[in-house]
Amino acid sequence: VQLQASGGGLVQAGGSLRLSCTTSVRTFSNYRMGWFRQAPGKEREFVAAISWSGANAVYADSVKGRFTISRDNAKNTVFLQMNSLKPEDTAVYYCAAEFSYGLDYAHNGMNTYEYWGQGTQVTVSS
């Protein structure tokens, strides 16, 4: 299973970016999807997650109201729309997939995700 994240780049504070993550999983709608990030010298942290149907999402407090996670099950893709970016959002962003067993919820855990992408760099300048 491969996950390919894209859409990162350099943006000024207050700007926006849209990350995409395309997967090769056989049935994308079987998977809960998450976005995580890791800043230099810091541990990887949860950003947002979305249930298999897209009906449920959760966010880290630090991004709530600024970031929106969504998915297109027909295109095997999950998105992260990031608005009002801050320098502290600078990090490598990773997408991850977790088999949902049909349970349509999202959570802010990290250890249960089975598949991870390679990451895409987001840099926000002040």
Side-chain angles (χ1 to χ4, degrees):
V1 174
Q2 293 184 332
L3 285 74
Q4 181 73 40
S6 62
L10 173 64
V11 64
Q12 288 188 334
S16 298
L17 283 174
R18 189 191 195 204
L19 305 184
S20 300
C21 174
T22 302
T23 78
S24 67
V25 294
R26 185 170 183 175
T27 307
F28 182 63
S29 59
N30 282 342
Y31 289 81
R32 182 177 299 119
M33 299 298 296
W35 284 99
F36 302 83
R37 67 187 182 186
Q38 187 166 17
K42 295 187 177 181
E43 294 186 352
R44 191 172 298 188
E45 64 177 6
F46 168 78
V47 175
I50 190 166
S51 65
W52 70 262
S53 73
N56 300 293
V58 293
Y59 298 90
D61 288 343
S62 59
V63 307
K64 203 171 293 183
R66 300 187 297 121
F67 290 11
T68 302
I69 188 171
S70 61
R71 65 190 294 159
D72 184 339
N73 285 347
K75 296 183 178 180
N76 281 23
T77 303
V78 62
F79 305 97
L80 185 68
Q81 178 66 45
M82 306 186 295
N83 299 329
S84 302
L85 282 161
K86 304 176 181 180
E88 51 263 43
D89 295 318
T90 295
V92 177
Y93 283 71
Y94 299 89
C95 58
E98 175 188 5
F99 193 76
S100 70
Y101 297 95
L103 301 175
D104 197 23
Y105 72 93
H107 65 83
N108 63 359
M110 188 183 316
N111 295 333
T112 54
Y113 281 83
E114 299 143 295
Y115 307 108
W116 290 80
Q118 86 291 354
T120 185
Q121 175 71 46
V122 172
T123 303
V124 184
S125 63
S126 58

